[in-house]
Amino acid sequence: MPHKPHIWRDTPPFDGPLLNAYIEIPLGGRQKFELDMAKNAPAVDRIMPEKVGGYPVNYGIVPQTVSYDGDPFDVLVLGPAIPTGQLVKGVIVGLMHMEDETGLDSKVVISRVGADGKPTHQLTDADRKRMTDFFNRYKRDDDDPKTFATVPGWGTAAEGLAFVRKTHEFFLQALK
């Protein structure tokens, strides 16, 4: 019997040279949505405290990936706010190295492309600083003192591509 379509399970990570990204949290959003795997729909995980502020970038997952923490691999999408639940495509422009209480939690950074196929947004030093500052502090107000996050640095687009490929391999291995 065929199964109902599922955004994470049935969408490939790549569409040609472009990476697919399912948006969970729009730029500026304080509601931390996560894809509820059983319902195949976004669900509110928590609301970020006002003093932490909203997410500095669109945040989501790459379909058909399983990261080192057991969750889908995270993606940060440059540009204006994109509504929760949208699937977008873009080119990899970098990698944000990150660690938290679960271990390695890096995030690939993409930009959507224009009609010419070129990125509509560059990953600037100001973007890196804004994202680093946010992710270094966004768990400080959690009730659990064991939670933390740190951004030790940034990687290249090639490193981001390698992470996506590896986490897609983990997904395929989980199917076996």
Side-chain angles (χ1 to χ4, degrees), residues 33-169:
F33 286 94
E34 289 193 356
L35 180 63
D36 181 320
M37 291 296 185
K39 294 180 181 173
N40 192 29
V44 175
D45 179 56
R46 67 181 184 269
I47 297 179
M48 302 303 289
E50 201 168 308
K51 66 182 176 181
V52 171
Y55 274 71
V57 63
N58 297 291
Y59 183 99
I61 62 168
V62 178
Q64 291 190 356
T65 59
V66 176
S67 195
Y68 295 88
D69 61 3
D71 291 334
F73 189 49
D74 296 323
V75 62
L76 306 174
V77 183
L78 300 172
I82 302 167
T84 297
Q86 284 220 353
L87 187 66
V88 299
K89 302 169 192 319
V91 295
I92 298 172
V93 295
L95 176 72
M96 184 179 82
H97 295 291
M98 189 171 130
E99 299 169 3
D100 66 12
E101 67 280 354
T102 64
L104 186 63
D105 195 19
S106 298
K107 291 143 183 19
V108 67
V109 184
I110 69 171
S111 171
R112 294 165 94 175
V113 296
D116 60 1
K118 295 184 179 180
T120 56
H121 297 87
Q122 300 301 313
L123 178 59
T124 66
D125 289 342
D127 293 327
R128 286 184 188 92
K129 180 173 180 4
R130 188 175 62 255
M131 289 185 263
T132 297
D133 291 348
F134 177 82
F135 286 103
N136 275 337
R137 67 180 158 76
Y138 85 125
K139 289 189 177 182
R140 286 188 190 153
D141 292 324
D142 282 0
D143 293 334
D144 184 350
K146 295 177 187 163
T147 63
F148 72 92
T150 184
V151 178
W154 289 81
T156 65
E159 291 173 295
L161 177 60
F163 262 83
V164 172
R165 286 183 174 152
K166 181 51 106 178
T167 58
H168 179 58
E169 283 178 32

